[in-house]
């Protein structure tokens, strides 16, 4: 596969910390998670060979973003084909933790990179759109589950809660993520800003030109680096299905037609586009991030610091996990006087 690189160098002073970061813009291998992970392995290795310390993948890369899938759903309507489509989609999703997570952790260790991977997670028979975080020593750090799926996504994905809105303090910077249109949620962004996010990862399925404006705004609003990763997909990347509904970017509707045009981009806290956007092909988008730009940007605007008004505005974030069933044990005495827990 051709993976053209779009790389820029930062112009920071010698005292600033420079982090090389790469966004992977590529398509899932649909209905084949092992091959998708094999593809990821090659792309991570290529990014690492170019000196990258951080590699970010798009939304739902493992398991697949089901663009155009309808799962036989309409208001008041369900059908058997749609149920079977969901069965296949569920099969492609991964357990977290699980063997695929272990494999990704090993890839991060082997290539000495921090890794942010978009995945479809299964918890029982409910699916979640999730971002997974790994450090360069091969440790799985944790996950963020998308708190608000968009439109028909709500029929196939569960809703994340406040217990998985992490920002990890790492040697390369404070790392967090907002998935796709979570980036349009001001309070969610503020929660990340409040945790000090510096490397703001935005795995997405939105390849529109308008998306670039949102990414630019967030970089300047948060005083952080924004790394937006989107898949580049053609009709031929998806399994054939008469019920799929694609909106092609060009009116040709053949196998080569683009249905997700990418647009992956890296933007500095000062609002400078460092690499991308790429609307042309699969590829790696790479830039050197001068972490000194964060302080430079916040001289004038610190959204949760000197430019906040906590006497007027205040955000409370509930980080407790919300579980549908909670079991409370009680202590019972056996005939021999010993105690045990009864559930």
């Amino acid at each position: 596969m051709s993976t053209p690189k779009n790389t820029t160098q930062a112009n920071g002073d010698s005292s600033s910390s420079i982090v090389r970061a790469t966004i992977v813009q590529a398509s899932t291998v649909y209905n084949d998670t092992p091959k998708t992970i094999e593809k990821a392995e090659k792309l991570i290795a290529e990014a690492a060979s170019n000196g990258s310390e951080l590699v970010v993948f798009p939304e739902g890369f493992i398991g697949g973003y089901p663009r155009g899938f309808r799962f036989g759903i309409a208001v008041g309507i369900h059908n058997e084909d749609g149920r079977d489509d969901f069965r296949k989609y569920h099969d492609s999703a991964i357990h977290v933790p699980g063997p695929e997570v272990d494999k990704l952790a090993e890839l991060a260790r082997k290539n000495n990179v921090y890794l942010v991977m978009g995945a479809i997670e299964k918890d029982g028979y409910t699916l979640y759109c999730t971002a997974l975080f790994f450090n360069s020593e091969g440790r799985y750090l944790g996950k963020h589950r998308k708190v608000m799926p968009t439109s028909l996504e709500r029929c196939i994905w569960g809703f994340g809660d406040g217990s998985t809105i992490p920002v990890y303090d790492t040697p390369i910077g404070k790392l967090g993520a907002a998935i796709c249109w979570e980036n349009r949620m001001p309070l969610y962004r503020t929660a990340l800003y409040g945790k000090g996010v510096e490397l703001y990862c935005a795995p997405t399925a939105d390849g529109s030109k308008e998306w670039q404006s949102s990414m630019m705004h967030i970089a300047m609003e948060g005083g952080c680096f924004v790394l937006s990763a989107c898949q580049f997909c053609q009709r031929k990347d998806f399994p054939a299905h008469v019920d799929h509904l694609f909106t092609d970017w060009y009116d040709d509707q053949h196998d080569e037609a683009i249905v997700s045009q990418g647009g992956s981009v890296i933007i500095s806290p000062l609002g400078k586009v460092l690499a991308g956007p790429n609307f042309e092909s699969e590829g790696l988008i790479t830039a050197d991030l001068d972490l000194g730009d964060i302080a430079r940007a916040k001289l004038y605007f610190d959204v949760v610091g000197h430019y906040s008004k906590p006497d007027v505005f205040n955000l409370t974030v509930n980080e407790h996990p919300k579980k549908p069933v909670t079991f409370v044990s009680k202590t019972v005495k056996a005939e021999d006087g010993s105690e045990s827990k009864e559930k």
Side-chain angles (χ1 to χ4, degrees):
M1 181 190 69
S2 174
T3 53
K5 303 178 186 68
N6 182 349
T7 306
T8 63
Q9 300 287 331
N11 293 315
D13 60 56
S14 60
S15 64
S16 296
S17 296
I18 306 297
V19 173
R20 177 164 288 189
T22 291
I23 291 171
V24 173
Q25 177 166 292
S27 174
T28 300
V29 182
Y30 281 86
N31 293 338
D32 197 330
T33 294
K35 285 189 177 178
T36 300
I37 293 177
E38 286 179 13
K39 184 174 182 177
E41 181 174 8
K42 294 175 183 176
L43 293 165
I44 293 167
E46 184 174 357
S49 71
N50 193 35
S52 289
E53 300 168 79
L54 170 64
V55 182
V56 182
F57 278 76
E59 177 179 16
F61 183 78
I62 294 176
Y65 183 81
R67 187 178 302 277
F69 289 37
R70 294 195 264 192
F71 296 99
I73 296 172
V75 176
I77 299 295
H78 306 85
N79 66 39
E80 292 304 315
D81 284 346
R83 290 187 174 103
D84 201 50
D85 286 342
F86 183 77
R87 178 192 62 79
K88 294 174 184 176
Y89 192 51
H90 182 272
D91 284 347
S92 295
I94 64 174
H95 291 288
V96 180
E100 294 85 1
V101 174
D102 293 342
K103 175 63 175 177
L104 292 169
E106 173 58 20
L107 293 178
R109 185 205 63 77
K110 178 181 177 181
N111 292 283
N112 194 32
V113 297
Y114 283 79
L115 176 64
V116 179
M117 175 62 73
I120 304 304
E121 173 194 359
K122 56 186 170 188
D123 187 351
Y125 286 92
T126 294
L127 304 182
Y128 296 91
C129 182
T130 299
L132 307 175
F133 298 85
F134 303 86
N135 72 11
S136 59
E137 296 176 348
R139 179 185 168 204
Y140 165 61
L141 298 176
K143 68 187 177 185
H144 163 56
R145 283 178 173 174
K146 192 173 185 178
V147 299
M148 177 54 69
T150 301
S151 189
L152 194 64
E153 293 172 0
R154 296 173 195 167
C155 295
I156 56 168
W157 294 342
F159 294 68
D161 60 32
S163 68
T164 66
I165 308 178
V167 170
Y168 298 102
D169 192 354
T170 78
I172 64 168
K174 294 180 180 179
L175 187 63
I179 301 173
C180 206
W181 280 15
E182 285 183 326
N183 289 279
R184 292 189 174 195
M185 300 172 70
L187 300 184
Y188 182 85
R189 298 199 307 267
T190 302
L192 292 183
Y193 301 153
K195 291 186 174 185
V197 67
E198 296 170 334
L199 303 172
Y200 183 114
C201 301
T204 186
D206 190 337
S208 68
K209 299 289 178 63
E210 293 78 13
W211 180 254
Q212 303 297 314
S213 299
S214 291
M215 298 298 96
M216 178 71 72
H217 172 77
I218 291 168
M220 298 182 71
E221 175 184 70
C224 52
F225 289 93
V226 169
L227 302 97
S228 178
C230 186
Q231 294 196 30
F232 181 91
C233 302
Q234 298 169 286
R235 279 177 173 258
K236 66 181 181 181
D237 294 319
F238 293 86
H241 198 298
V242 295
D243 196 42
H244 288 176
L245 180 63
F246 293 123
T247 301
D248 296 343
W249 290 98
Y250 307 101
D251 295 329
D252 40 22
Q253 297 189 359
H254 54 72
D255 282 350
E256 302 293 325
I258 297 170
V259 296
S260 177
Q261 64 176 355
S264 300
V265 67
I266 302 175
I267 304 175
S268 83
L270 297 168
K272 179 181 178 182
V273 176
L274 300 179
N278 174 6
F279 292 106
E280 304 298 327
S281 65
E282 291 196 342
L284 303 183
I285 294 89
T286 298
D288 289 338
L289 316 183
D290 179 357
L291 299 187
D293 281 347
I294 297 171
R296 297 181 185 106
K298 292 190 175 182
L299 167 64
Y300 298 115
F301 187 85
D302 185 353
V303 67
V304 290
H306 62 75
Y307 219 98
S308 64
K309 281 289 290 176
D311 55 323
V312 180
F313 307 109
N314 183 265
L315 172 64
T316 299
V317 180
N318 184 350
E319 293 191 307
H320 293 293
K322 298 297 182 183
K323 297 188 177 181
V325 180
T326 301
F327 294 95
V328 179
S329 301
K330 66 179 181 179
T331 301
V332 294
K333 283 193 174 182
E335 290 184 1
D336 61 1
S338 63
E339 292 186 349
S340 64
K341 294 288 184 181
E342 180 182 90
K343 295 184 179 180

